[in-house]
Amino acid sequence: MSMLTPPGMGGKYRITGDKYPRMRRGRPRSRIVLAVVASVAAIGLISWGTLQLVHVFTGGDKASAAGPGPAHCTTSPSASPSAARAADPKKLPAPAQITVNVFNATPRSGLAKETADELKKRGFKIGDVGNATKAYDKKVKGTGILLGATKATDAALPVLGTQLTGAELKADTRDKLTEVDLILGTQFKNLTPKADADKALTALTHPKPAPSSSPSCA
């Protein structure tokens, strides 16, 4: 009989040998709780990630019971109030209101008169015609100089400037706003062709409105 056999028990209930069953400790409740919490957290993360993917591919909060929101938005040009005001004709003097004094600062003779005659045909009034003063004679390197009163730099001078591309605008102390000087430089050949000058004058006095972009969603 083994030492492990209780007294009074024998036969088939007798325990023999030197081996005996080992009893395992039960798992602590804290481990079970932690396992449950971890499982719930994992399921929550998976559900949240799935929901985010659904929002990305279906338009998210923009979707409504009526269906997904606009798929594409484009911009189309439209005239803004400020652009419309810019399209109003500028209050600039007409060529017939401008008196032009034409002076030749080049070595070529007769150039001032030829130019004055052409400006007269284009509607300008002609004042003095002759050679430039010593301050400008043989000293104007470009096509020419447009000289007038300070306030004429945004009035009579740009109107005359449409007739001679590349001319330099300068101001002096004169009082007459509609009397300007055209001093021909050494690079002067001819006035701007009349058709091009007329287009430039129209663009100056009647500028087109600048388009502004407005969204258009389909």
Side-chain angles (χ1 to χ4, degrees):
M1 181 181 296
S2 172
M3 294 176 61
L4 299 177
T5 304
M9 296 185 66
K12 63 178 179 180
Y13 297 104
R14 184 179 59 186
I15 300 175
T16 60
D18 55 358
K19 295 183 179 180
Y20 55 91
R22 295 181 180 179
M23 303 298 292
R24 294 182 179 179
R25 292 182 179 180
R27 292 184 178 180
R29 290 185 177 182
S30 59
R31 292 186 179 181
I32 297 175
V33 173
L34 289 175
V36 172
V37 172
S39 300
V40 172
I43 294 172
L45 287 175
I46 293 172
S47 299
W48 180 83
T50 303
L51 182 61
Q52 294 301 314
L53 289 175
V54 171
H55 276 216
V56 169
F57 289 103
T58 60
D61 296 337
K62 294 182 179 180
S64 63
H72 299 285
C73 291
T74 58
T75 57
S76 58
S78 61
S80 62
S82 59
R85 287 194 297 270
D88 293 339
K90 289 186 177 181
K91 294 181 180 180
L92 297 174
Q97 298 174 310
I98 300 174
T99 300
V100 183
N101 303 315
V102 184
F103 300 114
N104 184 10
T106 75
R108 291 176 289 172
S109 61
L111 194 60
K113 186 179 184 305
E114 293 176 5
T115 304
D117 291 343
E118 180 61 27
L119 286 173
K120 187 176 181 180
K121 292 178 182 178
R122 298 185 183 188
F124 290 88
K125 291 183 179 180
I126 303 300
D128 297 333
V129 178
N131 293 326
T133 61
K134 291 182 180 180
Y136 294 101
D137 190 28
K138 314 293 191 304
K139 297 177 182 178
V140 180
K141 304 300 182 182
T143 58
I145 293 177
L146 307 181
L147 187 63
T150 301
K151 292 184 178 180
T153 54
D154 57 356
L157 287 177
V159 172
L160 179 59
T162 61
Q163 310 300 310
L164 180 57
T165 304
E168 180 182 0
L169 272 65
K170 283 189 174 183
D172 58 14
T173 58
R174 75 182 69 189
D175 296 328
K176 295 181 180 180
L177 300 181
T178 57
E179 181 180 312
V180 295
D181 297 345
L182 170 57
I183 306 173
L184 304 177
T186 55
Q187 294 184 14
F188 176 83
K189 294 181 179 180
N190 295 293
L191 293 173
T192 301
K194 188 177 184 305
D196 295 336
D198 290 343
K199 290 180 181 179
L201 185 58
T202 300
L204 179 67
T205 55
H206 295 78
K208 294 182 179 180
S212 62
S213 299
S214 61
S216 175
C217 298

